Amino acid sequence: MTRLGGAGRGCAATSRRTPRHAGLAIIITLVLAVLPRAADAAPEPGYYDSAQGLSGAALKDELHDIISVQTRISYSAVWEALKVTDQDPANSNNVKLFYSQVSRSKSANGGNVGDWNREHVWPQSHGDFGTSTGPGTDLHHLRPADVQVNGTRGNKDFDAGGSSVSGCSSCRTDGDSFEPPAAVKGDVARMVMYMAVRYEGGDGFADLEANDQVNGTTPYLGRISVLLQWHAQDPPSAAEQRRNDLIDTRYQGNRNPFIDHPEWAQSVFG
């Protein structure tokens, strides 16, 4: 597919390593060093060549430049795209809902109880980007979700703990955070990391950053220390890699680097 020119480099990245993350950094580095990559990983030859050998802020800057070369799709086109990227492998008439992991008819998309809708894993209000073409339509963080579960998640940051969620018994939530089920915790972490690298404030949208707080309505999303743990505990699956491939080859022409190279997460965000 033809790759279209993307945005230039945004705001300069800064290192976020802090002493309290040092022990976690050692554990995650050891785990990620032995993680197998999914068998169908397929970035085009040379896609990440310019990032090889880099670390920290320099790696983040280079990955931003690489993945900013993308085709953008409209918000209405997201409906049909999700029917492809999130198709239930056991039933081609259905999509697999992200948090609840329930299989639901592709035609049941909408806004009513029992429908599925378009979940922004990085909430729109955390950067005020809405649904205009850009971060609000980027498939790398958009997933089909049950309307009610999506409503419960709202714009909360990610963290551990809370009470169970109706329609997603393995989810937990409290007043300011949401914990997804174990099966998708790593997926959530890698989507948040992608958004924090892709959108650096240089293309008319806010500079999105991952931090270690619960943030309300700001361009930040947390908590990164928890997300790094989830990333290590739930490494990229073959299904997640296939989704990355589909977004790359059929829709946007860019990839989530933390799916292709899990070891880069600690270097950029540790």
Side-chain angles (χ1 to χ4, degrees), residues 15 42 47 65 68 78 129 145 152 232 241 243 246 251-252:
S15 173
Y47 187 70
D65 287 349
S68 293
V78 168
F129 49 76
T152 299
Q241 185 63 61
R243 188 177 196 275
L246 283 168
Y251 297 103
Q252 295 186 181

Side-chain angles (χ1 to χ4, degrees), residues 174-235:
D174 57 23
D176 56 14
S177 69
F178 186 85
E179 179 181 0
V184 300
K185 283 181 174 177
D187 305 55
V188 165
R190 288 179 283 277
M191 286 186 277
V192 170
M193 294 174 196
Y194 164 88
M195 293 293 284
V197 171
R198 168 60 186 89
Y199 297 98
E200 291 279 21
D203 52 1
F205 297 101
D207 179 6
L208 306 182
E209 296 292 345
N211 66 10
D212 207 35
Q213 304 175 35
V214 288
N215 298 279
T217 55
T218 71
Y220 305 101
L221 191 64
R223 297 179 52 225
I224 190 58
S225 63
V226 174
L227 292 168
L228 283 168
Q229 292 177 53
W230 292 354
H231 170 64
Q233 293 164 359
D234 176 33

Side-chain angles (χ1 to χ4, degrees), residues 19-241:
R20 64 177 174 170
H21 292 166
L24 177 62
I26 294 171
I27 294 170
I28 292 176
T29 300
L30 290 173
V31 171
L32 294 179
V34 297
L35 287 180
R37 291 178 65 198
D40 55 355
E44 69 177 37
Y47 187 70
Y48 293 118
D49 279 2
S50 60
Q52 299 300 325
L54 300 179
S55 62
L59 176 59
K60 184 183 182 188
D61 284 348
E62 191 59 38
L63 292 176
H64 168 75
D65 287 349
I66 292 169
I67 66 178
S68 293
V69 180
Q70 74 174 96
T71 298
R72 298 179 178 183
I73 68 172
S74 68
Y75 197 48
S76 60
V78 168
W79 285 121
E80 294 305 313
L82 292 179
K83 295 175 184 179
V84 175
T85 60
D86 291 77
Q87 178 175 291
D88 183 351
N91 185 343
S92 62
N93 294 315
N94 289 7
V95 292
K96 192 169 185 179
L97 304 189
F98 184 54
Y99 297 123
S100 62
Q101 297 290 283
V102 170
S103 181
R104 189 163 296 169
S105 173
K106 290 178 177 179
S107 64
N109 59 303
N112 298 319
V113 174
D115 287 344
W116 61 270
N117 61 6
R118 297 160 290 189
E119 154 72 335
H120 291 79
V121 173
W122 190 292
Q124 300 168 55
S125 62
H126 288 243
D128 195 28
F129 49 76
T131 59
S132 58
T133 303
T137 66
D138 195 316
L139 290 170
H140 282 296
H141 84 120
L142 282 160
R143 304 300 294 262
D146 176 82
V147 166
Q148 290 177 289
V149 175
N150 192 358
T152 299
R153 190 273 161 124
N155 68 349
K156 296 173 182 175
D157 292 76
F158 292 104
D159 198 0
S163 57
S164 62
V165 172
S166 176
C168 184
S169 60
S170 297
C171 299
R172 296 286 183 270
T173 193
D174 57 23
D176 56 14
S177 69
F178 186 85
E179 179 181 0
V184 300
K185 283 181 174 177
D187 305 55
V188 165
R190 288 179 283 277
M191 286 186 277
V192 170
M193 294 174 196
Y194 164 88
M195 293 293 284
V197 171
R198 168 60 186 89
Y199 297 98
E200 291 279 21
D203 52 1
F205 297 101
D207 179 6
L208 306 182
E209 296 292 345
N211 66 10
D212 207 35
Q213 304 175 35
V214 288
N215 298 279
T217 55
T218 71
Y220 305 101
L221 191 64
R223 297 179 52 225
I224 190 58
S225 63
V226 174
L227 292 168
L228 283 168
Q229 292 177 53
W230 292 354
H231 170 64
Q233 293 164 359
D234 176 33
S237 65
E240 190 179 357
Q241 185 63 61

